[in-house]
Amino acid sequence: MSPALTIDATVNHHHPLKAQSSKPELGFGTRAIHVGSEPNSETGAVIPPISLATTYKQEKIGVHKGFEYSRSGNPNRNAFETTLASVEAGGATALAFSSGSATTATLLQSLGPNAHILSVNDVYGGTFRYMTRVASQNQGLETTFLDLENADDNTILGSLQENTKLVWIETPTNPTLRVIDIQRIADLVHSHPSNPLVLVDNTFLSPFYSSPLLLGADIVMHSITKYINGHSDVVMGALILPPQHTELAERLRFYQNAIGAVPSPYDCWLAQRGLKTLHLRMKAHGVNALRVARALERSEFVEEVIYPGLTSHRRNEVAWKSLSPHARHLSYSNNDADGDIGFPYGGMISFRIKGGLEEAQRFLTSTQFFTLAESLGGVESLAEHPALMTHGSIPPKERALLGIGDNLVRLSVGVEDGDDLVRDVKRALEIAVRGE
Ligand SMILES: Cc1ncc(COP(=O)(O)O)c(C=O)c1O
């Protein structure tokens, strides 16, 4: 075992403030590359070795170098957790799980029996499914789903109960990219006697574009599967907690070990490698997405473009206000620039093509670089049809209420050359709508 990694593990688990204290001085990219990834002091290797051992030698009973059994902790998971806690601004402790869904399940199980949750209404489908079809039956967990973008203060406060333990926010929502004001919701619900924890699923924006802990959230969760790993080759999830929630973090670490939905060392190693370039990738995703969104906005074949970074987005100002401090300084070139063009805000775009299902389907099979596939956040561009794919299990009536029509297309804009992506989308639109 690498002594360097032993130190990493200590930073994360026993000295959260130490990990925290490196944040003000170091930039995002420096933390992503160096924190949790110091050169191996035995061999000099600049990249941590993959430690596949499931168990670790003890000199005497209970005397060891920080690791006993891999489910409870191992060098690669600890290293990844250390890096992640360092890049999620305001974070002190990170806990990794075997998927985003396992993260959700573990967290909700920690709430115990008969708790109440207030959740954003168009939460990720798997989260909705776990809340309504697993936790409700097994724990008596009750969830109120509310439009947290438009609900007024009284409606939000009125939906909290004595036993409300958690408020679940996801922003921007999927696939219609509605922007929730995290700070407003956190301030409001923390003023209620039930004082629930506020969790933000930060998967869509990643720690690069959004820092919910700085806006008053208590817990951030991620499907690491998406932007943080970034290469469509790992399924993983994580929670990050700030220093004031050390006790809660320890309790969740107990649940992480007790339930055991943990990632493999190899997946942690891959995810840490991905995380090292998160800042570079997110800039490229954002710049490309803004360019593609602008091209869609100008197309005669498009009814509506939804990208919160566009000035035409209803919640463009809230999106700007909620942007991570480091993402505000993002400089980018935009060949299409003509006046106020907006700003990069992640890589996800949704748009309504002129026509219906037929046109949408034709678009999705006509692109060259946007691969027709579920998921998002990888370096390669993807496109999908929410009504028939990711959100197909939602009854048509509810889908219509959520604005998920047959002509809605979702894009995960990758980091290929922006010119190629714009050309690809324009060409596919022409084929799809004009039939050429
Ligand atoms: C916003 C969001 N949260 C959670 C999840 C679940 O993550 P995983 O697929 O890693 O279980 C997803 C997956 O698509 C997601 O998009």
Side-chain angles (χ1 to χ4, degrees), residues 126-148:
T127 307
F128 177 83
R129 183 175 55 204
Y130 191 86
M131 287 169 174
T132 57
R133 294 180 56 191
V134 181
S136 61
Q137 277 94 328
N138 297 349
Q139 285 172 244
L141 188 128
E142 189 197 344
T143 311
T144 302
F145 295 95
L146 195 64
D147 176 353
L148 292 178

Side-chain angles (χ1 to χ4, degrees), residues 237-354:
L239 296 173
I240 302 105
L241 292 96
Q244 68 269 28
H245 284 315
T246 311
E247 244 172 68
L248 175 63
E250 284 310 315
R251 210 155 63 76
L252 289 167
R253 192 168 291 292
F254 168 79
Y255 273 87
Q256 178 196 39
N257 183 49
I259 294 172
V262 291
S264 73
Y266 183 53
D267 282 349
C268 292
W269 184 88
L270 278 173
Q272 191 178 19
R273 179 165 80 159
L275 183 47
K276 281 172 191 279
T277 55
L278 182 68
H279 57 301
L280 303 176
R281 288 185 285 108
M282 290 316 296
K283 281 179 204 170
H285 282 295
V287 169
N288 277 352
L290 183 59
R291 285 199 58 194
V292 170
R294 290 282 296 161
L296 288 166
E297 201 168 44
R298 287 200 293 251
S299 170
E300 59 183 302
F301 308 121
V302 171
E303 209 175 272
E304 187 194 2
V305 186
I306 312 170
Y307 183 69
L310 283 177
T311 45
S312 60
H313 190 279
R314 215 167 53 77
R315 302 270 285 176
N316 180 251
E317 270 183 40
V318 182
W320 174 257
K321 199 183 78 174
S322 69
L323 215 51
S324 288
H326 43 261
R328 287 199 189 177
H329 305 301
L330 192 55
S331 62
Y332 58 92
S333 63
N334 190 315
N335 298 338
D336 300 339
D338 56 357
D340 197 359
I341 57 166
F343 52 89
Y345 192 75
M348 300 304 295
I349 301 174
S350 289
F351 71 95
R352 301 184 203 284
I353 195 166
K354 280 216 174 119

Side-chain angles (χ1 to χ4, degrees), residues 99-101 124 170 201 203-204 221 223 225-226 235-236:
S99 68
S101 304
Y124 167 65
E170 192 180 309
D201 181 337
T203 299
F204 265 40
M221 89 121 283
S223 168
T225 317
K226 312 297 171 357
V235 173
M236 226 171 111

Side-chain angles (χ1 to χ4, degrees), residues 411-431:
L411 303 178
S412 171
V413 180
V415 301
E416 301 92 337
D417 193 298
D419 288 339
D420 293 328
L421 297 183
V422 168
R423 214 176 304 122
D424 194 23
V425 163
K426 281 183 171 171
R427 194 182 132 269
L429 281 171
E430 187 102 21
I431 296 168

Side-chain angles (χ1 to χ4, degrees), residues 50-61:
I50 304 174
S51 180
L52 295 174
T54 54
T55 190
Y56 292 83
K57 180 181 168 180
Q58 308 196 6
E59 294 305 326
K60 286 190 215 160
I61 296 172

